[in-house]
Amino acid sequence: MYLIGLTGGIASGKSTVAKRLASWGAIGIDADQLARHVVEPGTPGLAAIVAEFGDTILLNDGTLNRPALGAIIFTDARQRERLNAITHPAVRRLTRDRVAAAVAADPHVIVVYDVPLLAEAIAGGLVTFDLIVVVHADAETRIERMVKLRGLSREDATHRIAAQASDADRLALADVVIDNNGTVEATLSQVDALWTRARAAEAGAAEAGAGEAGAGEETDGAATT
């Protein structure tokens, strides 16, 4: 298995990169989707959130009112930490399960873990990445995307950027940076080069592993003659 950690700030274009890698055959695991899964109705996660923040963060159908919760956590770091303490352990467990399932299906799989809070995932001992990829777009570009494509106000968009790790913190972790300030075509070209690199690295690691196994067998055989 070859595990890529894919991260980037909100509206940086991670989804575009992840979809392109999936089109080449990578198995994608989206941390945001897992985070939604662990707070579905009837889950311990949602029950814990209601106990912490009150039932005003529920919609009439019993699902999580994400805008209401977002209004709380994106403007208050302490509240955000309280939410993370509930959801992050559950997401970590589910991530490990998904990675294990992918490897069981194909030992040579390339897995792309799309995670906004990659630094936190590393610090929490979630997984060890073979390659860390940061999708980068400057803050103004990302604000414009959120306003035009997501209907947020500039103030809300700015709050959401401020609530995440800084660009400098993310870039400091990067093995590869995908520049998504330009055209889609330019971005996809960088992703294709990334796939070629990952595929070659996985093949090389597999070949090295096979060589070590073969050497071990020869040594064992020599010891018994």
Side-chain angles (χ1 to χ4, degrees):
M1 179 192 70
Y2 192 80
L3 182 58
I4 297 174
L6 175 65
T7 195
I10 186 171
S12 62
K14 283 192 298 89
S15 295
T16 298
V17 173
K19 288 177 182 176
R20 185 68 163 195
L21 290 170
S23 75
W24 282 112
I27 298 299
I29 300 174
D30 187 333
D32 284 340
Q33 289 183 359
L34 299 188
R36 287 190 286 272
H37 180 76
V38 301
V39 296
E40 289 178 348
T43 61
L46 183 58
I49 291 172
V50 172
E52 185 70 34
F53 295 96
D55 58 12
T56 57
I57 53 85
L58 291 179
L59 296 171
N60 291 335
D61 62 0
T63 59
L64 184 63
N65 186 334
R66 296 182 182 280
L69 184 59
I72 297 171
I73 66 167
F74 286 118
T75 57
D76 188 327
R78 187 177 65 86
Q79 300 276 51
R80 189 162 60 250
E81 290 172 1
R82 290 164 62 192
L83 176 65
N84 290 343
I86 294 170
T87 60
H88 285 187
V91 171
R92 289 185 184 119
R93 287 192 295 271
L94 195 52
T95 298
R96 292 190 183 99
D97 290 345
R98 296 289 175 86
V99 171
V103 174
D106 178 7
H108 302 296
V109 68
I110 293 179
V111 176
V112 178
Y113 185 46
D114 181 349
V115 53
L117 303 177
L118 184 138
E120 289 83 347
I122 294 172
L126 174 60
V127 284
T128 300
F129 296 105
D130 295 296
L131 193 73
I132 294 176
V133 178
V134 174
V135 184
H136 178 68
D138 60 56
E140 185 57 34
T141 297
R142 291 156 56 202
I143 289 171
E144 289 179 2
R145 288 173 182 167
M146 282 187 277
V147 171
K148 292 179 180 178
L149 303 178
R150 305 188 186 187
L152 297 180
S153 67
R154 285 190 63 86
E155 182 180 9
D156 284 343
T158 301
H159 278 314
R160 291 182 182 236
I161 287 177
Q164 295 187 324
S166 70
D167 287 343
D169 287 343
R170 272 189 297 270
L171 292 171
L173 298 171
D175 297 310
V176 174
V177 177
I178 302 292
D179 183 353
N180 195 29
N181 284 299
T183 65
V184 173
E185 290 75 16
T187 298
L188 295 181
S189 177
Q190 295 172 74
V191 179
D192 293 347
L194 167 64
W195 176 256
T196 299
R197 171 177 173 171
R199 189 77 272 176
E202 193 287 324
E207 183 177 349
E212 291 174 2
E217 290 171 2
E218 289 175 6
T219 300
D220 291 343
T224 59
T225 58

